[in-house]
């Protein structure tokens, strides 16, 4: 005879018993592989394997013969890079450019994140959506918009000519490293604001009340409470901008021209124009190793879990 539970208090234990019996029937190992195998396969095929192939190609002496023919590994490509100072100068220029872009993006993104957390009030969600709207458009479209903005017939030149400030269009606004820096700062500001926003959101408002009770003025509350507690977000935003910018090549190609070349552009040229994949692979591996060193440094400096707790 089956009894029907007379109320929620009697039904709840029965539900728990059914759930435990169903849980015992599950294969935990099978569930694990079912969940993790597809992304693991995806990462292996599209991330790990290309890096391994690039590392192998960097030890290839030349591109003669079939693409996957056997060859005798050699360090000739690395020796050639070590003896060519222009590669290292370009890597240094790219690193300094990425450093400036990282600092600028963080400095400009911090007030934005601060406003969203402490000043926006009930409109925070709306402003956050507005911040994320650029992500919904194509990266190339945003770069091309800046190319049109800075061009000789762009908005800036047309406006200055209309005001009578200049008589001829300014050619110095485009196809140089300054245009690359301005465009990349614009591109990375929303990305930099997100980890800072997450770090600021974790700060307990009670700390500000305690600081005010102890006589701290707003300036000291910011420098002694807000800024130190948001440091993980600041460092996370900086490395989020700096690391990919070192190898950037699309933006310099579109708005920088020959005077705005970065390290990523020379790698692209060896893979496309010169068809020298071994040398391009060796240059890529050098940049990858340098980036991994920075990632390890960031991991030592930043407790990434603090951004998501």
């Amino acid at each position: 005879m089956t009894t029907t539970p007379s109320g929620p208090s009697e039904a709840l234990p029965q539900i728990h018993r059914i759930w435990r019996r169903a849980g015992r029937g599950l294969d935990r190992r099978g569930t694990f592989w079912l969940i993790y195998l597809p992304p693991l396969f995806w990462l292996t095929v599209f991330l790990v394997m290309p890096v391994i192939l690039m590392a192998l190609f960097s030890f290839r002496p030349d591109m003669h013969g079939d693409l996957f023919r056997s060859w005798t590994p050699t360090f000739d490509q690395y020796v050639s890079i070590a003896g060519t100072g222009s590669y290292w100068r370009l890597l240094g220029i790219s690193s300094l450019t990425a450093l400036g872009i990282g600092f600028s993006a963080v400095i400009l993104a911090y007030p934005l994140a601060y406003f969203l957390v402490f000043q926006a009030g009930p409109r925070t969600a709306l402003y956050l959506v507005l911040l994320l709207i650029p992500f919904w458009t194509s990266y190339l479209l945003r770069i091309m918009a800046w190319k049109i903005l800075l061009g000789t017939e762009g908005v800036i030149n047309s406006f200055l000519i209309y005001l009578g400030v200049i008589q001829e269009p300014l050619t110095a606004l485009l196809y140089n490293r300054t245009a690359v820096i301005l465009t990349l700062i614009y591109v990375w500001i929303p990305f930099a604001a997100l980890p800072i926003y997450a770090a600021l959101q974790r700060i307990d408002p009670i700390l500000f009340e305690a600081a005010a009770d102890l006589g701290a003025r707003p300036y000291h509350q910011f420098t002694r409470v807000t800024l130190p507690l948001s440091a993980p977000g600041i460092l996370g935003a900086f490395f989020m901008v700096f690391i990919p910018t070192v190898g950037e090549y699309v933006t310099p190609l579109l708005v920088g021209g020959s005077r705005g070349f970065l390290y990523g552009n020379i790698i692209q040229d060896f893979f496309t124009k010169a068809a020298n994949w071994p040398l391009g692979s060796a240059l890529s591996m050098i940049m990858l190793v340098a980036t991994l060193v920075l990632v390890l440094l960031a991991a030592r400096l930043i407790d990434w879990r603090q951004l998501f707790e």
Side-chain angles (χ1 to χ4, degrees):
M1 180 176 180
T2 304
T3 59
T4 303
S6 59
S9 60
E10 297 181 9
L12 191 59
Q14 188 172 352
I15 293 173
H16 285 171
R17 287 194 298 271
I18 296 173
W19 179 261
R20 285 196 297 269
R21 286 198 297 269
R24 285 195 295 268
L26 294 176
D27 184 353
R28 292 185 177 182
R29 180 171 297 180
T31 304
F32 172 83
W33 286 113
L34 180 64
I35 294 175
Y36 287 100
L37 191 59
L40 182 62
F41 173 79
W42 184 273
L43 289 174
T44 302
V45 173
F46 295 102
L47 180 64
V48 177
M49 290 302 297
V51 173
I52 293 175
L53 288 175
M54 187 173 297
L56 294 175
F57 265 97
S58 68
F59 295 103
R60 181 169 176 163
D62 50 52
M63 285 297 295
H64 298 311
D66 295 333
L67 184 62
F68 292 105
R69 71 172 178 85
S70 60
W71 68 82
T72 302
T74 178
F75 288 93
D76 290 348
Q77 308 301 336
Y78 292 98
V79 172
S80 175
I81 294 172
T84 306
S86 58
Y87 296 147
W88 299 103
R89 284 194 298 271
L90 189 58
L91 180 59
I93 292 173
S94 299
S95 300
L96 291 176
T97 301
L99 186 68
I101 292 171
F103 276 123
S104 301
V106 168
I107 291 173
L108 294 175
Y110 195 95
L112 180 61
Y114 187 92
F115 171 80
L116 289 174
V117 174
F118 298 113
Q119 303 295 330
R123 296 185 178 180
T124 301
L126 173 62
Y127 294 147
L128 190 59
V129 170
L130 294 177
L131 176 66
L132 297 177
I133 282 179
F135 296 164
W136 303 347
T137 59
S138 170
Y139 178 82
L140 291 178
L141 287 178
R142 284 180 281 159
I143 302 303
M144 293 303 297
W146 271 90
K147 187 175 182 179
I148 295 174
L149 183 69
L150 299 173
T152 55
E153 298 181 359
V155 176
I156 296 177
N157 274 311
S158 300
F159 184 69
L160 292 178
I161 293 175
Y162 173 77
L163 294 178
V165 177
I166 58 176
Q167 302 299 323
E168 298 291 335
L170 298 174
T171 58
L173 296 178
L174 193 61
Y175 298 125
N176 52 52
R177 191 158 286 114
T178 302
V180 175
I181 293 173
L182 289 175
T183 305
L184 286 175
I185 290 174
Y186 157 78
V187 168
W188 284 111
I189 283 178
F191 289 93
L194 293 180
I196 300 175
Y197 173 84
L200 290 173
Q201 203 173 32
R202 291 182 59 258
I203 300 178
D204 193 338
I206 296 178
L207 297 176
F208 300 111
E209 298 178 6
D213 292 340
L214 294 174
R217 296 181 178 180
Y219 171 78
H220 295 99
Q221 294 179 24
F222 175 77
T223 56
R224 299 182 182 181
V225 178
T226 307
L227 197 59
L229 292 179
S230 62
I234 294 173
L235 291 174
F238 172 78
F239 282 106
M240 184 183 293
V241 176
F242 175 80
I243 292 174
T245 303
V246 174
E248 177 67 43
Y249 75 93
V250 175
T251 304
L253 182 65
L254 294 177
V255 302
S258 60
R259 293 182 294 175
F261 256 39
L262 294 179
Y263 191 79
N265 295 107
I266 198 68
I267 295 176
Q268 182 206 20
D269 285 346
F270 278 118
F271 274 101
T272 56
K273 297 179 182 179
N276 191 344
W277 291 16
L279 186 55
S281 299
L283 289 169
S284 300
M285 294 308 299
I286 290 174
M287 185 180 66
L288 178 61
V289 170
T291 304
L292 288 176
V293 171
L294 292 174
V295 170
L296 293 176
L297 177 62
R300 294 291 298 269
L301 295 176
I302 306 170
D303 185 1
W304 298 97
R305 293 173 298 178
Q306 293 183 5
L307 298 178
F308 304 102
E309 291 178 354

